[in-house]
Amino acid sequence: MSQLQEAMVALIVVFHEHAGQDQLLNKTELKGLLQKEFGDDLGNAKDSSLVDTIFKGLDQDGSGSADFTEFVTMVASLTALTNEMLLKK
């Protein structure tokens, strides 16, 4: 597989590792994902206000949970921000 294909598979695997039986991320599952996948790089994911803010942006349809498309949108946004930060260095 190409690097991009491997990255796509990794996104799918990470989402499904953290999503519940309903294949959606609730706020608790998102918090666990952020802590495991980003650690201190994203700030203090243990801070409930940070998780609330991220979840509010992630839950674009206001359903109270995030589906895979919403998750991928979040990852794409974080990737774009990271790219901007790296270009400025």
Side-chain angles (χ1 to χ4, degrees), residues 6 13-14 17 19-20 22 35 61 63 69 71 80:
E6 288 176 2
V13 168
V14 167
E17 281 179 355
D22 57 3
Q35 288 175 330
D61 64 4
S63 66
T69 300
F71 168 73

Side-chain angles (χ1 to χ4, degrees), residues 42-66:
L42 192 61
N44 188 358
K46 294 176 184 170
D47 177 2
S48 63
S49 65
L50 174 64
V51 174
D52 289 343
T53 301
I54 293 171
F55 191 78
K56 185 176 180 182
L58 180 61
D59 182 17
Q60 296 172 357
D61 64 4
S63 66
S65 59

Side-chain angles (χ1 to χ4, degrees), residues 3-42:
Q3 284 183 310
L4 185 55
Q5 288 171 319
E6 288 176 2
M8 291 166 56
V9 169
L11 282 174
I12 293 166
V13 168
V14 167
F15 177 82
H16 290 290
E17 281 179 355
H18 294 277
Q21 290 285 342
D22 57 3
Q23 293 304 295
L24 300 168
L25 288 172
N26 62 34
K27 199 178 296 184
T28 301
E29 292 161 343
L30 174 65
K31 181 179 178 179
L33 184 152
L34 293 172
Q35 288 175 330
K36 180 179 180 195
E37 300 299 328
F38 291 100
D40 292 335
D41 292 339
L42 192 61

